[in-house]
């Protein structure tokens, strides 16, 4: 019963004309993403959709063409060895999109996305587009996971 009252109260607030436009936009977003924290399936659907989109973006533009190979150079003087390792810059992928949609690139992209949902950096060398995509997913996807957890907790708590 209280769930229906909460939903109704939020709907009335969202449709009220005397609240600021920014609050109405926030309530509309909250309703669309998770049904005011009451629809776990809606939040999980958005999360899975966001993850799938991120995986696709990573496969097409986020992963470098090849894994950059670090190069080490060194000097030997007497009994002392000095090594310097230089990491190569990631090269943007080129060629047809079909070639970028491989199982290997899918697996790497999936690792990046799963790590980003848990607020962790993947440690994977990414292109500039890939770095920005990972940063955006590290903000959005954990929030969607949080909305799903809130909705599930509300169901279990009753």
């Amino acid at each position: 019963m209280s769930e229906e009252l909460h939903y109704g109260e939020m709907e009335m607030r969202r449709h009220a004309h005397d609240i600021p436009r920014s609050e109405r936009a926030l309530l509309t977003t909250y309703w669309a993403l998770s049904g005011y924290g009451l629809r776990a399936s809606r939040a999980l659907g958005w999360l899975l959709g966001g993850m799938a989109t991120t995986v696709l973006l990573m496969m097409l533009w986020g992963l470098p063409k090849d894994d950059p190979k670090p190069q080490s150079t060194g000097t030997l003087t007497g009994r002392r060895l000095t090594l310097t390792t230089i990491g190569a810059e990631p090269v943007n992928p080129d060629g047809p999109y079909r070639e970028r949609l491989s199982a290997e690139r899918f697996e790497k992209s999936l690792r990046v996305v799963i790590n980003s949902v848990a607020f962790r950096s993947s440690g994977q060398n990414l292109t500039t587009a890939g770095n920005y995509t990972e940063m955006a997913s590290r903000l959005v996807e954990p929030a969607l996971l949080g909305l799903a957890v809130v909705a599930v907790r509300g169901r279990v708590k009753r």
Side-chain angles (χ1 to χ4, degrees):
M1 181 68 168
S2 65
E3 182 179 310
E4 290 87 14
L5 291 175
H6 174 69
Y7 197 90
E9 175 190 359
M10 297 300 279
E11 279 290 288
M12 287 173 47
R13 283 180 61 197
R14 184 168 68 98
H15 292 293
H17 294 288
D18 61 340
I19 64 169
R21 181 175 282 166
S22 59
E23 184 177 346
R24 192 173 315 136
L26 185 63
L27 286 170
T28 301
T29 302
Y30 189 34
W31 166 79
L33 293 177
S34 69
Y36 304 117
L38 299 172
R39 308 288 189 262
S41 59
R42 190 180 296 180
L44 287 172
W46 279 105
L47 175 61
L48 291 175
M51 289 174 70
T53 302
T54 305
V55 166
L56 185 62
L57 291 173
M58 285 293 179
M59 288 176 69
L60 293 175
W61 298 288
L63 296 176
K65 182 177 181 178
D66 297 309
D67 287 330
K69 306 282 190 260
Q71 296 179 355
S72 296
T73 58
T75 55
L76 180 62
T77 53
R79 301 183 87 181
R80 184 176 177 160
L81 177 65
T82 306
L83 288 176
T84 305
T85 302
I86 300 170
E89 287 294 315
V91 177
N92 288 331
D94 56 4
Y97 291 132
R98 283 185 167 177
E99 290 177 9
R100 299 181 201 178
L101 300 174
S102 67
E104 179 185 353
R105 289 177 68 84
F106 174 78
E107 191 267 330
K108 286 180 182 179
S109 298
L110 188 61
R111 264 192 283 133
V112 169
V113 172
I114 290 173
N115 280 323
S116 68
V117 171
F119 288 113
R120 297 178 49 210
S121 177
S122 64
Q124 174 75 37
N125 287 321
L126 300 173
T127 63
T128 303
N131 282 321
Y132 285 116
T133 302
E134 183 184 34
M135 284 189 268
S137 71
R138 286 175 64 183
L139 289 173
V140 173
E141 291 165 1
L144 292 171
L145 180 62
L147 288 173
V149 168
V150 166
V152 168
R153 182 180 171 270
R155 292 250 183 222
V156 171
K157 192 175 173 183
R158 284 191 279 148

